[in-house]
Amino acid sequence: MNSIANKIIETRKIKGLSQEELAEQSKISLRTLQRIENNENNPRGKTLSLICNTLDLNLEGLLSTNQSQPFKITTKFFDFFFLAVANLILVALLGFMTIDSQANFNSRFAMVLLSILIPLFIVNFTPNMSSTERLLKFGFGSLLYFIATLSIAGFVTGFLSGLFLCMLINLSMLYFGSQLIHKK
């Protein structure tokens, strides 16, 4: 049975509705609902929208659960690869612009600005992600770089160069940025 039919059946039962009641409230025929729940039909367009509205289901979320398993595995692999590369680029940028012995005030100031703006950009495009999940996905590179800097260059170099400040700002914005952007 497909996941759309499962979700409709599960939600209908949670709400205590019979098939007849759901069909009547959704303004669709009982036979159509029975075919959907028995996996004889895949609901399309208006029918699915009417059922989702009656059951208070998110249409996009319901459709996204209907993906096949092989695509989920490859998607997760590419998501992980992208996150790893994005984290490496961000921390390399942090290190290059701050810890370099030739770094001047302008490059350090630019890095502070980027430490604010890049995480806010990430927060803006991940509104459904929790703060903790966002911090773990996009901030693990900063944590690893912090540990590497401590062991290689030492605390004094990381602190005086402004690298640790930029990392702190970066991680804070990843965690608390949604409260700044989505404040109502």
Side-chain angles (χ1 to χ4, degrees), residues 1 11 19 35 39 45-46 50 53 62 70 84 86 92 104 111 119 127 135 138 143 148 153 157 167 171:
M1 186 175 285
T11 308
Q19 285 183 331
R35 286 183 180 146
N39 206 25
K46 183 77 171 165
L50 290 169
N53 286 340
L62 187 62
N104 60 17
M111 200 55 235
L135 184 64
F138 295 100
L143 179 63
T157 304
M167 286 182 184
L171 295 173

Side-chain angles (χ1 to χ4, degrees), residues 9-163:
I9 293 168
E10 177 185 324
T11 308
R12 176 179 60 79
K13 288 180 179 178
I14 289 172
K15 294 202 176 259
L17 296 173
S18 67
Q19 285 183 331
E20 294 82 12
E21 292 169 330
L22 177 58
E24 182 181 323
Q25 291 178 15
S26 299
K27 297 180 178 54
I28 61 172
S29 73
L30 175 61
R31 184 66 190 133
T32 300
L33 181 61
Q34 290 170 338
R35 286 183 180 146
I36 291 168
E37 287 190 358
N38 291 330
N39 206 25
E40 297 170 16
N41 256 2
N42 276 333
R44 297 182 302 270
K46 183 77 171 165
T47 304
L48 186 57
S49 177
L50 290 169
I51 293 171
C52 285
N53 286 340
T54 303
L55 294 175
D56 295 324
L57 289 173
N58 181 356
L59 183 60
E60 291 82 21
L62 187 62
L63 291 174
S64 70
T65 61
N66 204 29
Q67 295 176 349
S68 62
Q69 190 64 23
F71 291 118
K72 286 184 178 180
I73 292 170
T74 57
T75 302
K76 287 192 181 288
F77 172 75
F78 284 115
D79 285 349
F80 174 76
F81 181 74
F82 171 75
L83 285 172
V85 169
N87 271 286
L88 289 175
I89 289 172
L90 185 58
V91 296
L93 188 63
L94 278 169
F96 177 75
M97 292 184 75
T98 57
I99 210 163
D100 181 24
S101 62
Q102 302 289 327
N104 60 17
F105 176 78
N106 290 339
S107 66
R108 290 185 177 144
F109 182 73
M111 200 55 235
V112 170
L113 286 178
L114 287 176
S115 295
I116 295 169
L117 296 177
I118 291 173
L120 286 179
F121 177 80
I122 292 169
V123 167
N124 192 43
F125 285 99
T126 57
N128 296 331
M129 195 178 286
S130 72
S131 297
T132 307
E133 182 182 5
R134 190 179 306 112
L135 184 64
L136 291 173
K137 284 186 175 181
F138 295 100
F140 76 88
S142 292
L143 179 63
L144 293 176
Y145 200 67
F146 175 77
I147 294 168
T149 303
L150 277 177
S151 62
I152 295 169
F155 180 79
V156 175
T157 304
F159 181 76
L160 293 178
S161 67
L163 178 64

